[in-house]
Amino acid sequence: MDISTYFEPVSKEKIGYKRNEFMPLLGDNIRTYWEGGEFPDMKNIRLALLGVCDGRGSKGNENCAKAPDEVRKKLYNLALPMDEVAMVDLGNIMPGRTMEDTHFAMTEVLYKLMDHNMTVLILGGSQALSFAQYKSYEVLGRVMNMLSIDSKFDIFDTNELTSESFLSHVIRQDPNYLFNYTNMGYQTYFMGQKMVELMDELHFDAYRLGDIQDDTKRAEPLLRNADMVTVDLGAVRQSDAPANANPSPHGFYGEQLCRFARFAGMSDKLSSFGFYELNPDYDQNGQTAHMVAHACWYFIEGFYLRMHDFPYRDKQNYRRFLITIPDKGEGTEMVFYKSKKSDRWWMEIPCEHDEKRQRYNRHLLVPCNYEDYVKALEEGYSEVWHRYFERVNG
């Protein structure tokens, strides 16, 4: 796997990194593509960090291209999340002559890394790069779930690929490998009710900012269900993340973003996580870069706390619960699984078509929580179960 030609190395001088003789730092334990050094050996590595320094497609926020090294300045000087961390920093994907050239390079790199069973942490760059992130799954031929932490849906119907239209470009792909899309944190006054209704018509899942903030535990099964996560830093309130040309006084708190990153890191299913739209020109004393570095730190911690308990691995390590569904006919049941290792829950979605069952196999066990099981037990009904049932059997 030779991908070195796509990258430029990281400058120690530019990010101001020095070893700390009193405390082991995260930067000490990352195999980094340093300026003047060799491209890192990726043998036995399962976690990779990379930057994509391209802000094209980000309306009025193009200088987000400068974000990756600003985050590294803070990230490398954080303490180790545990005794041993084995990961690589491949440097920054060099921007191409056109935006399409950069997207091609990013897709090629992600595809090859994920094909070698690696999880990738991405520092953007414009959120338009999320389209390249999706395309890597298309090249793999892998049906996938996408989740956006975003105050908007990025579904504006335009032929131009931008940070506000990348989802519409994903939807138009044929063949299409998107099984489900989830937005977490949308703000209705940015979208309007018609856009919310459109998401429902597309059978996508959308959760308002207030719904998640009232109970951030609701985010855990959503993130556990995603193969790919894309974060628009504009989803974080301006007081916590000023480094954006289009900030909002409302949004998630920085500590909530860190919690979401940890949830995502712990997911066996997730293989790529991207931070986008951080524009250092608008930052205040590196505040936003520092917050994103903290979120990366929590993602890394979560990655090394993975339980490897996705139910398709070995169902003997799970407790199985059956609930009869009154309106689906005799013999129809909802099946729930609870992991003996982590106490996490899943619900199984029956599929009546052999071809679809084979295509959607990875997505027929949907993460949920104990409250979902209790509600289904009490009411004989689960909105999430029914929504997925109709999707795979419709």
Side-chain angles (χ1 to χ4, degrees):
M1 175 175 60
D2 184 14
I3 54 175
S4 61
T5 55
Y6 291 112
F7 288 92
E8 55 186 2
V10 179
S11 166
K12 281 188 180 181
E13 182 179 357
K14 186 175 181 179
I15 69 169
Y17 173 66
K18 295 180 180 179
R19 287 180 177 270
N20 187 325
E21 59 180 301
F22 303 106
M23 180 179 69
L25 300 177
L26 182 58
D28 301 338
N29 284 261
I30 300 176
R31 299 180 191 174
T32 301
Y33 183 25
W34 291 117
E35 198 172 66
E38 295 183 355
F39 197 70
D41 177 14
M42 289 182 277
K43 186 177 181 181
N44 298 322
I45 295 293
R46 290 291 171 260
L47 179 61
L49 171 72
L50 59 87
V52 190
C53 301
D54 197 328
R56 287 171 288 189
S58 184
K59 297 295 184 179
N61 201 45
E62 290 82 359
N63 281 341
C64 60
K66 300 187 291 187
D69 283 347
E70 295 302 311
V71 175
R72 285 188 177 97
K73 288 178 182 179
K74 306 298 183 181
L75 179 64
Y76 270 55
N77 288 289
L78 298 178
L80 276 176
M82 60 268 306
D83 289 340
E84 292 186 15
V85 169
M87 62 179 289
V88 294
D89 183 344
L90 302 176
N92 297 319
I93 292 178
M94 294 181 286
R97 186 177 60 84
T98 66
M99 185 173 71
E100 290 73 21
D101 291 339
T102 305
H103 281 237
F104 175 85
M106 180 176 171
T107 296
E108 186 76 2
V109 166
L110 294 180
Y111 148 66
K112 289 185 176 179
L113 292 173
M114 292 190 294
D115 195 40
H116 282 73
N117 199 31
M118 296 182 70
T119 298
V120 189
L121 185 56
I122 305 158
L123 303 176
S126 165
Q127 201 184 17
L129 294 164
S130 297
F131 182 63
Q133 192 178 345
Y134 160 79
K135 288 283 285 183
S136 61
Y137 294 90
E138 184 177 284
V139 177
L140 282 168
R142 184 184 299 174
V143 178
M144 52 85 77
N145 290 338
M146 179 192 302
L147 182 144
S148 293
I149 300 176
D150 203 328
S151 61
K152 302 175 182 178
F153 296 143
D154 299 327
I155 199 171
F156 292 100
D157 190 14
T158 172
N159 290 327
E160 183 184 7
L161 176 60
T162 71
S163 57
E164 295 184 338
S165 70
F166 78 86
L167 181 57
S168 61
H169 285 256
V170 169
I171 293 169
R172 290 201 296 262
Q173 292 298 293
D174 185 21
N176 200 288
Y177 289 85
L178 179 65
F179 178 70
N180 187 49
Y181 171 79
T182 299
N183 173 281
M184 205 170 74
Y186 79 89
Q187 299 175 40
T188 313
Y189 37 76
F190 290 146
M191 291 287 90
Q193 193 57 39
K194 286 187 177 180
M195 292 293 284
V196 176
E197 292 170 359
L198 174 61
M199 293 291 284
D200 189 56
E201 291 172 9
L202 292 168
H203 303 292
F204 291 155
D205 300 326
Y207 296 83
R208 291 182 66 169
L209 172 66
D211 293 335
I212 300 297
Q213 282 193 318
D214 287 344
D215 182 9
T216 55
K217 289 188 296 183
R218 294 183 63 181
E220 191 278 329
L222 303 178
L223 288 156
R224 185 160 31 109
N225 197 32
D227 295 275
M228 159 187 163
V229 171
T230 169
V231 180
D232 184 333
L233 266 298
V236 182
R237 61 179 55 212
Q238 184 177 6
S239 57
D240 284 16
N244 190 288
N246 307 292
S248 170
H250 299 112
F252 290 117
Y253 290 95
E255 57 264 40
Q256 291 173 331
L257 180 64
C258 289
R259 191 176 195 190
F260 301 152
R262 191 174 190 270
F263 286 154
M266 292 182 69
S267 170
D268 297 324
K269 194 174 186 179
L270 184 131
S271 48
S272 67
F273 191 109
F275 292 98
Y276 302 103
E277 299 297 321
L278 191 167
N279 187 339
D281 287 356
Y282 296 98
D283 214 354
Q284 298 174 9
N285 197 30
Q287 176 183 339
T288 313
H290 210 160
M291 182 202 65
V292 172
H294 288 182
C296 290
W297 187 96
Y298 276 101
F299 181 90
I300 294 165
E301 182 191 47
F303 179 83
Y304 286 101
L305 292 175
R306 287 187 174 185
M307 298 285 188
H308 304 291
D309 65 349
F310 188 63
Y312 278 124
R313 296 177 184 271
D314 183 2
K315 289 185 180 179
Q316 292 184 353
N317 290 322
Y318 302 83
R319 295 187 64 190
R320 188 168 179 261
F321 302 84
L322 303 178
I323 300 173
T324 301
I325 308 174
D327 65 341
K328 289 295 180 183
E330 186 177 352
T332 304
E333 297 172 318
M334 279 187 285
V335 182
F336 286 80
Y337 291 95
K338 180 184 178 183
S339 169
K340 296 176 183 178
K341 292 175 66 176
S342 67
D343 289 335
R344 296 191 292 193
W345 288 78
W346 288 261
M347 61 176 72
E348 188 166 35
I349 311 299
C351 184
E352 300 169 349
H353 310 287
D354 291 340
E355 185 177 336
K356 284 188 175 181
R357 188 184 306 115
Q358 183 176 359
R359 178 174 172 81
Y360 299 142
N361 184 53
R362 293 177 62 253
H363 306 292
L364 297 180
L365 278 165
V366 178
C368 61
N369 53 35
Y370 174 67
E371 289 74 19
D372 292 317
Y373 166 71
V374 171
K375 185 175 181 180
L377 185 64
E378 293 174 348
E379 302 178 4
Y381 176 83
S382 165
E383 181 182 348
V384 174
W385 189 95
H386 277 256
R387 189 163 65 245
Y388 274 90
F389 181 87
E390 295 300 325
R391 177 177 295 150
V392 300
N393 294 288

